[in-house]
């Protein structure tokens, strides 16, 4: 044995590895798999067969749609077979997302948002059961899927599949396309849970070529209605705050393209557009283009002619018929249902919006905020995309230029020409307003670009 | 007639409009259309039928792939029927891209990059034949497709289609998915030129549901070999510059994730990795993950074991067999060919890379650069995404933290904790190095975040 003998490097190890995993699955699952369709009863066996120790795994979920059947299955795998996984996923929302760490199935984590599980996450980190790589914005995490955090296995959720494995994600397309693209084209395994398997899909959202297995879940995937809240619970203070925001910021800057965080504060603004804002003569001058889920609170503004277009991260339960009846406003497919896409909507918020309002867990007098405290690690989702000054931005809007003129720029080059390159102060004004006015806590939303990172 | 009588607003005008255009096309084209497949001889008629005056139109093209058959067809439409179009597209690269303005078919323009046509563009702007909205980064323009610049009609290019209209974009997927998604899901018309129509596609890149018409081009679409250059033309100065970059920057900062501009300067760096960089003991420490097209100049670094992964905006002619044989490095489909995606690769460059090198047309002593001069409007493509400090970024790398520590941050909050939030100085160092060393002009590349915008 000569250790120095030239062993030719194998350059297709990932493809061979995928093929081996697929063959192993076919052998182990036997009659429980037909083409790409796997019987639900065999799901734990499938995961034990296609996931290997140390794999990077993406378990789809965000603040709405959850691949919950696959999450429950992952908790049930044998930790002797599947362990030390590195989870690379948008959220920790379900109890199962943390159980896999408690059981040693996973040990490392890169994520964006942990709202409902934030206290439990902090405890597990303190107990050294989870090693956190970083808390990312959604878009930042998606970016790393193509660079240094590409998943070996992704477990995603869709509305339906056909027998070939084409997926219909329906209104809640959300993160699915970007997860599947990064995984499928780097020799990874994509397992999709679907609510039903049908003969003909309403439309194809993900081509079958990109999907390894589909499994029908015994019940429809979990989905969170985020924005459907009773407007009667909006307080008078919130109405006053909304009026101040409309008159003091939206009107002053002529904000036409924007994103709103979740909650009664912003719902109050949305609801006041066709009354208070219209009385100020602002129709056609503010709030025309939105990067936003289809909030019910937007309906009066839509009906009142304020809104020209809405592009969405995800959808909202109960809004299906309204969206189909208002296709001039929303992005919809040939079937009439919403097309959402979190990656592109985050990008749109980052580069094509002039205003974002959100809240945070804590903030200092300089305006720096954090969503990681001693007892709670919440993360931030998309807010730093939305709320930051996109330094690569080059196009101008009235709001952006006005904010720029008011910004103290430590810059003396010849290119300034009266119009600033920065919208930071504008966003600061907006978010400061939100912060000063806000009484509700909206964890996971960062109103400022400059924030404190949580380090491992 | 009572002007005040309530006329119910139509909320599906865009869908009805699309249906009307499709029906008109079916009527006018008659036997020249079968399902979604249009005969090439009828292409001008198709465009005259589905495009209406004032439409926003995206004519696909970038620094590589061009929908050139459709561009030539658009020049031939009757300006009495089709005029005052608002072009929203990545590049002005072909003569036809400007001819449509000279003929009055189009009058407004929002774009990213005009390299080969930059002088002619400046002349047309001076003659007030073109009203430029803004020069964008690629990602910024894509973002606006979902907010306020959604195309009504998109003319795209793919490798092949099947009879149903599914598209195979092959290695040069590039901008196609994001253009088609924004158009198709907002009731727009998508026309794809393809090199061939086949029975079974190697893989589905764009589902047929998203495509209105496919037309076989009489010859394959134009594609530019960007990076294939003769290494013998690299000068000794460029070799010295590359050595300085490797030792002075890459090694000092431990840069593992990066993007390179186009040209001999960066090719020299790539070529020196397995020799000079390896002699410095840098293998495994620098240049592991790339957001980059498959440059031939990377082959020695790949073979030498420097490179772990490459994700690409587009592909490179002549690299097909190498990519297929090195699938561990590249993102490839089940057919073995490259999967590229400009939107996601720009995002990856923006959020997941630590270094970018590029050049520009002019620069001041403060480091501000511009690619718009009196006689030339070049634009910048993706450089401001790559070269800017992504303010929404939250994850840390060694290179990023080190650069942050060296950055003078005008900030005194409690969150700084020794590790800076900003990678600006790092990128400034890198790009300054490139600028100081650079002898070649690479128009369209901006090395700095803070640049001069060109206003209409």
């Amino acid at each position: 044995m000569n250790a120095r003998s030239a062993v030719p490097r194998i350059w297709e190890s990932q493809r061979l590895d995928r093929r081996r995993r697929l063959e192993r699955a076919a052998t182990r699952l036997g009659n429980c798999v037909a083409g790409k369709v796997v019987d639900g009863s065999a799901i734990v066996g499938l995961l034990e067969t296609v996931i290997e120790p140390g794999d990077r795994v993406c378990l789809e979920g965000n603040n709405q749609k959850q691949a919950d059947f696959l999450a429950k299955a992952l908790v049930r795998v044998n930790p002797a077979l599947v362990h030390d996984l590195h989870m690379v996923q948008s959220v920790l929302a379900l109890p199962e997302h943390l159980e896999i760490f408690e059981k040693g199935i996973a040990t490392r984590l890169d994520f964006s948002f942990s709202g409902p599980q934030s206290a439990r996450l902090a405890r597990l980190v303190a107990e050294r059961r989870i090693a956190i790589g970083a808390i990312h914005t959604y878009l930042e995490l998606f970016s790393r899927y193509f660079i240094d955090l590409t998943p070996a296995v992704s477990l995603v959720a869709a509305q339906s599949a056909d027998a070939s494995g084409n997926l219909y994600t329906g209104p809640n397309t959300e993160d699915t396309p970007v997860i599947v693209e990064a995984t499928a084209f780097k020799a990874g395994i994509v397992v999709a849970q679907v609510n039903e398997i049908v003969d003909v899909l309403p439309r194809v959202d993900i081509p079958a070529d990109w999907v390894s297995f589909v499994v029908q879940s015994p019940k429809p995937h979990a989905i969170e209605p985020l924005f459907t809240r009773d407007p009667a619970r909006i307080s008078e203070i919130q109405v006053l705050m909304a009026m101040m925001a409309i008159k003091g910021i939206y009107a002053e800057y002529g904000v036409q393209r924007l994103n709103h965080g979740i909650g009664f504060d912003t719902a109050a603004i949305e609801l006041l557009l066709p009354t208070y804002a219209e009385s100020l003569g602002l129709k056609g001058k503010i709030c025309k283009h939105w990067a936003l889920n289809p909030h019910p609170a937007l309906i009066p503004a839509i009906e009142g002619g304020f809104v020209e277009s809405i592009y969405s991260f995800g959808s909202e339960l109960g809004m299906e018929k309204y969206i189909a009846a208002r296709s001039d406003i929303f992005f919809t497919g040939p079937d009439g249902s919403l097309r959402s896409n979190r990656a592109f909507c985050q990008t749109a918020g980052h580069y094509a919006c002039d205003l974002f309002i959100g809240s945070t867990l804590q903030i200092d007098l300089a305006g720096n905020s954090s969503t990681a405290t001693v007892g709670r690690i919440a993360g931030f989702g998309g807010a730093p995309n939305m709320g930051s000054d996109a330094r690569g931005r080059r196009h101008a809007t009235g709001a952006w230029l006005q904010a720029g003129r008011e910004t103290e720029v430590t810059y003396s080059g010849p290119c300034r020409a009266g119009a600033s390159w920065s919208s930071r102060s504008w966003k600061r004004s907006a978010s400061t307003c939100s912060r000063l006015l806000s009484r509700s806590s909206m964890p996971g939303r960062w109103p400022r670009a400059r924030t404190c990172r949580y380090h491992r």
Side-chain angles (χ1 to χ4, degrees), chain A:
Chain A
M1 298 278 281
N2 180 357
R4 284 173 155 272
S5 69
V7 179
R9 174 169 169 181
I10 296 168
W11 291 96
E12 296 193 281
S13 61
Q14 293 172 5
R15 290 170 76 87
L16 296 171
D17 177 65
R18 169 159 65 181
R19 190 185 304 163
R20 200 176 60 240
R21 294 182 193 214
L22 295 177
E23 286 169 357
R24 214 161 53 200
T27 305
R28 170 154 180 187
L29 270 60
N31 292 336
C32 290
V33 59
K36 294 183 175 178
V37 180
V38 174
D39 192 273
S41 65
I43 188 61
V44 174
L46 176 72
L47 298 187
E48 287 177 345
T49 313
V50 298
I51 304 178
E52 295 186 357
D55 271 354
R56 275 195 293 263
V57 174
C58 174
L59 184 48
E60 185 178 14
N62 43 58
N63 55 2
Q64 299 193 269
K65 180 171 75 168
Q66 300 293 344
D68 53 349
F69 177 61
L70 297 175
K72 288 181 202 305
L74 190 58
V75 170
R76 289 165 55 210
V77 299
N78 181 350
L81 299 172
V82 178
H83 50 84
D84 291 304
L85 301 183
H86 179 182
M87 306 305 293
V88 289
Q89 63 191 51
S90 291
V91 300
L92 299 180
L94 306 177
E96 292 82 2
H97 291 160
L98 288 169
E99 272 176 50
I100 57 173
F101 289 94
E102 289 169 337
K103 292 193 171 185
I105 296 165
T107 50
R108 296 176 64 197
L109 173 66
D110 278 277
F111 77 114
S112 287
F113 179 67
S114 75
Q117 303 293 338
S118 55
R120 191 171 166 202
L121 174 61
R123 182 175 56 75
L124 283 169
V125 170
E127 293 169 3
R128 300 185 185 280
R129 307 283 288 277
I130 297 183
I132 293 181
I135 310 177
H136 306 74
T137 68
Y138 286 129
L139 197 56
E140 180 185 17
L141 185 61
F142 300 155
S143 297
R144 293 189 71 189
Y145 288 168
F146 295 101
I147 300 293
D148 60 350
L149 290 182
T150 310
V153 179
S154 285
L155 312 175
V156 302
Q159 172 65 32
S160 50
D162 62 21
S164 306
N166 291 294
L167 301 184
Y168 170 60
T169 50
N172 289 85
T173 298
E174 306 188 2
D175 312 24
T176 317
V178 67
I179 294 170
V180 174
E181 179 156 347
T183 310
F185 289 101
K186 202 71 181 68
I189 306 271
V190 175
V191 182
Q193 72 169 74
V194 298
N195 299 344
E196 53 183 351
I197 295 174
V198 299
D199 291 334
V200 180
L201 296 173
R203 68 178 193 244
V204 175
D205 287 308
I206 310 281
D209 286 347
W210 307 15
V211 178
S212 314
F213 297 102
V214 297
V215 55
Q216 184 170 352
S217 169
K219 59 179 184 178
H221 61 69
I223 191 150
E224 186 83 9
L226 278 182
F227 306 102
T228 307
R229 305 183 183 201
D230 180 3
R233 291 179 56 201
I234 295 175
S235 68
E236 292 197 355
I237 290 288
Q238 285 165 326
V239 170
L240 178 62
M241 283 156 48
M243 293 171 74
M244 291 169 65
I246 289 170
K247 186 160 186 178
I249 297 177
Y250 291 50
E252 282 297 307
Y253 290 82
V255 175
Q256 300 198 4
R257 314 176 314 172
L258 70 164
N259 168 254
H260 272 180
I262 306 163
F264 288 123
D265 295 319
T266 46
I269 296 173
E270 293 155 18
L271 289 166
L272 283 175
L273 290 175
T275 51
Y276 178 67
E278 183 149 3
S279 76
L280 297 176
L282 296 174
K283 187 167 152 180
K285 295 179 181 164
I286 65 169
C287 300
K288 289 162 68 174
H289 302 286
W290 298 74
L292 199 69
N293 282 12
H295 292 199
L298 275 170
I299 291 175
I302 294 169
E303 300 297 308
F306 256 83
V307 177
E308 284 188 19
S309 70
I310 299 172
Y311 185 62
S312 301
F313 312 91
S315 189
E316 179 65 4
L317 285 177
M319 287 289 284
E320 297 80 6
K321 287 183 182 172
Y322 184 77
I323 291 164
R326 295 294 181 268
S327 61
D328 279 359
I329 306 298
F330 300 98
F331 282 69
T332 58
D335 64 320
S337 79
L338 190 75
R339 169 71 178 192
S340 60
N341 186 318
R342 193 170 311 271
F344 287 147
C345 199
Q346 290 287 340
T347 311
H350 187 56
Y351 268 119
C353 286
D354 292 318
L355 177 139
F356 160 74
I357 291 188
S359 292
T360 183
L361 281 185
Q362 56 186 351
I363 201 155
D364 70 11
L365 291 175
N368 305 289
S369 76
S370 174
T371 54
T373 65
V374 172
R376 194 170 172 192
I377 302 175
F380 27 72
N385 297 326
M386 303 290 156
S388 73
D389 175 25
R391 304 288 286 272
R393 176 174 167 174
R394 293 293 178 270
H395 73 284
T397 61
W400 194 73
L401 290 174
Q402 181 176 338
R405 282 190 295 270
E406 295 172 6
T407 303
E408 190 182 73
V409 181
T410 52
Y411 165 57
S412 59
C415 290
R416 192 173 175 193
S420 167
W421 53 276
S422 170
S423 64
R424 191 169 54 178
S425 80
W426 159 234
K427 281 169 176 155
R428 186 184 304 158
S429 303
S431 56
T432 301
C433 165
S434 165
R435 287 197 308 270
L436 293 176
L437 298 174
S438 179
R439 298 170 72 214
S440 72
S441 173
M442 290 187 271
R445 301 285 150 175
W446 293 64
R448 285 267 328 258
R450 198 180 295 172
T451 51
C452 173
R453 278 172 289 99
Y454 186 82
H455 297 287
R456 74 192 102 178

